[in-house]
Amino acid sequence: MNIYIYSKISEELIQQKLRDIDSPIINLYKNGYSEKENIAAVLNGFLQPQMQNYKIPDDMKLIEAQALVNWIFKSLNNDNARLEATHELIKLLIERYQFSDEIEISKGIAYLSSKVDLKFIGSIEDFYKNIEEMYSIGKTLFYRGHSEANYILLPSLMRKENWHRNERKMYNELIINCPSNFEKMKSHLEYLVEMQHYGLPTRLLDITRNPLVALYFACENNHESYGEIVIFSVDDREIKYPQSDTISILASLPLFEYEKQQEIYNYAIESLAQDDFNKNVQRLLHEVKTEKPAFKDQIIKEDLLHSRIVLPLKNNNRILKQDGSFILCGLSIDYRHLDVNDLRYNAINGKRQVFIVESKRKFIDVLNAYSINKATLFPEIDDVADYIKGKY
């Protein structure tokens, strides 16, 4: 399960997602909602036989945890009754999984208090005050806004298994069908940035160095739900530039079939000597050298297993206006083992800082006064026209 869960999500969407993963929790919704006096008994009676499907906490998907809390909130109208029933659910999960962490609930969000500091942003001033406390010499802060607090930190490519498995096909088909977009480009990273720009799922994750830009993206959609701002803190020496050999290696991965990528991953995690490893990844070495002929015939295994922040060329108006950068994600056995969360800012106490955005419409109005809006962040004429139309 996630270390924080927000339950506000439409019933229709919940049921569709539960059906998509063939979750037994869909049956809880089929039986309808419960009365206050019966809710504990109904939950306990339903979940006890289902627990065999969830041998460890990670077996329960985020949407399933959301669905359980949402069902409680739909069954009850009183906030105190909702909290009481949610605590009963949490008690059941603690007993089942022997959690040592204390789970707390704040404004509908359940979180592990030993791992998370949950902060609600009420104003830009509050936000900047928190940011000031995070600055440290030799590190750079980056930001990303999610319009849903439950949005999992993943590149678009890894949000759907078929996309992940067909990365090579999507990459090549876009180049074949739109060759003029790529004819002046010289690197695999440039290809990926162009593909990301036009909405193809890639292993890039958009971030920015401007906290107000991230705040805008946290507020622009889903106005009735909480948004979230994710903050990354990275050692300046770990920030990569487009010419980086590490970036060239990671950006070459889309040229390989999913099965080959997994083969390379397995070689990288094995206790192979460096020379033996490089003998097994000759095709990858060859691909990097097509971009960099002088590249040394050596790939460091660890470089394939980590996600890296890269500062792209500012040759794209949208990147320029949004002060955009990217996280280029490496190889992992699945999305749960992707290390992108390791880049997030943690406080001195080791806790992850989670910033939740309320009152989105209010923030959109304030940001507009700072010239942070759709027209300035998306300078293409269709987006500017859409912004102007929405003003009147």
Side-chain angles (χ1 to χ4, degrees):
M1 289 190 294
N2 211 18
I3 60 174
Y4 53 99
I5 297 168
Y6 178 46
S7 64
K8 190 169 183 179
I9 184 171
S10 74
E11 180 182 339
E12 181 181 351
L13 181 58
I14 279 182
Q15 294 201 37
Q16 181 58 54
K17 289 188 173 184
L18 291 176
R19 282 192 291 269
D20 289 346
I21 62 172
D22 196 26
S23 170
I25 292 174
I26 187 69
N27 295 313
L28 186 64
Y29 280 81
K30 288 179 180 178
N31 295 333
Y33 299 110
S34 178
E35 300 295 329
K36 177 181 177 181
E37 56 271 16
N38 299 327
I39 195 164
V42 171
L43 263 180
N44 193 59
F46 176 80
L47 286 176
Q48 285 292 358
Q50 301 296 340
M51 285 295 99
Q52 61 184 350
N53 295 311
Y54 307 104
K55 295 180 174 61
I56 59 172
D58 278 351
D59 285 341
M60 182 174 286
K61 305 290 191 298
L62 174 61
I63 186 61
E64 294 179 300
Q66 284 178 258
L68 290 172
V69 179
N70 181 270
W71 183 85
I72 291 173
F73 275 49
K74 291 285 188 181
S75 296
L76 303 170
N77 294 320
N78 180 276
D79 285 345
N80 288 331
R82 288 172 168 176
L83 289 176
E84 183 179 337
T86 305
H87 279 298
E88 286 296 318
L89 169 63
I90 289 169
K91 183 179 178 181
L92 177 65
L93 295 176
I94 288 174
E95 290 173 354
R96 172 67 178 85
Y97 296 121
Q98 299 180 340
F99 284 138
S100 59
D101 301 293
E102 183 177 352
I103 302 176
E104 296 188 8
I105 301 173
S106 179
K107 298 184 180 181
I109 297 180
Y111 65 101
L112 298 178
S113 59
S114 66
K115 296 182 179 180
V116 168
D117 279 333
L118 194 67
K119 300 181 179 182
F120 290 85
I121 299 173
S123 67
I124 288 178
E125 290 75 18
D126 288 343
F127 186 33
Y128 269 116
K129 184 178 179 181
N130 281 286
I131 290 173
E132 286 174 3
E133 295 173 357
M134 296 181 181
Y135 278 119
S136 62
I137 296 174
K139 289 182 176 288
T140 299
L141 296 178
F142 294 87
Y143 311 86
R144 177 177 168 85
H146 292 162
S147 64
E148 286 280 0
N150 283 318
Y151 199 81
I152 299 175
L153 192 62
L154 284 175
S156 55
L157 179 73
M158 299 178 190
R159 295 194 166 277
K160 189 175 177 181
E161 187 176 356
N162 275 349
W163 289 344
H164 197 183
R165 287 184 173 275
N166 290 284
E167 180 181 19
R168 179 175 178 268
K169 291 179 181 177
M170 292 191 297
Y171 183 97
N172 283 306
E173 286 181 21
L174 190 61
I175 295 170
I176 289 169
N177 285 284
C178 306
S180 61
N181 284 70
F182 302 96
E183 59 187 12
K184 295 181 180 179
M185 296 182 180
K186 299 177 180 178
S187 72
H188 296 314
L189 177 64
E190 289 179 277
Y191 278 48
L192 283 176
V193 171
E194 183 77 354
M195 292 172 180
Q196 180 86 347
H197 175 78
Y198 285 104
L200 190 77
T202 75
R203 57 180 59 245
L204 292 175
L205 197 61
D206 295 280
I207 56 176
T208 176
R209 284 187 285 189
N210 187 332
L212 295 184
V213 171
L215 182 58
Y216 172 83
F217 284 113
C219 296
E220 67 167 335
N221 294 315
N222 304 309
H223 293 147
E224 303 308 315
S225 297
Y226 289 147
E228 180 190 4
I229 296 175
V230 180
I231 301 182
F232 306 91
S233 178
V234 183
D235 191 304
D236 291 343
R237 294 168 297 183
E238 295 298 319
I239 297 172
K240 304 298 182 181
Y241 296 96
Q243 302 87 353
S244 160
D245 287 347
T246 302
I247 295 303
S248 295
I249 293 166
L250 294 177
S252 297
L253 292 173
L255 276 294
F256 295 87
E257 294 283 2
Y258 175 81
E259 291 75 16
K260 186 62 179 178
Q261 291 181 17
Q262 291 304 302
E263 181 182 306
I264 294 171
Y265 169 79
N266 288 328
Y267 287 139
I269 63 173
E270 289 176 5
S271 55
L272 290 174
Q274 190 63 52
D275 288 344
D276 292 334
F277 170 74
N278 281 285
K279 288 176 184 177
N280 287 320
V281 295
Q282 284 296 311
R283 279 186 57 203
L284 179 57
L285 280 165
H286 174 75
E287 191 57 53
V288 176
K289 294 189 78 167
T290 61
E291 178 182 311
K292 292 183 169 179
F295 182 79
K296 185 179 178 181
D297 285 348
Q298 180 171 316
I299 292 175
I300 306 300
K301 292 191 291 183
E302 288 73 19
D303 285 345
L304 288 162
L305 303 176
H306 296 291
S307 301
R308 303 291 186 182
I309 287 181
V310 56
L311 306 180
L313 297 172
K314 303 285 185 176
N315 57 0
N316 174 312
N317 276 338
R318 193 178 292 184
I319 291 175
L320 187 64
K321 295 288 186 178
Q322 297 175 13
D323 198 5
S325 299
F326 297 100
I327 298 176
L328 178 53
C329 297
L331 296 174
S332 64
I333 191 169
D334 58 38
Y335 76 87
R336 292 178 182 175
H337 293 84
L338 193 67
D339 70 337
V340 66
N341 277 300
D342 295 344
L343 300 173
R344 293 176 70 146
Y345 176 85
N346 287 328
I348 295 175
N349 61 11
K351 292 185 181 183
R352 182 179 300 175
Q353 306 299 289
V354 176
F355 293 92
I356 302 298
V357 182
E358 305 178 277
S359 306
K360 291 183 178 181
R361 288 188 175 89
K362 180 190 77 172
F363 275 117
I364 287 292
D365 292 338
V366 173
L367 288 169
N368 194 45
Y370 287 91
S371 288
I372 303 290
N373 54 52
K374 186 173 184 178
T376 57
L377 297 180
F378 299 90
E380 294 85 1
I381 190 170
D382 54 338
D383 289 308
V384 176
D386 193 49
Y387 168 76
I388 293 172
K389 180 177 67 176
K391 286 174 60 179
Y392 301 101

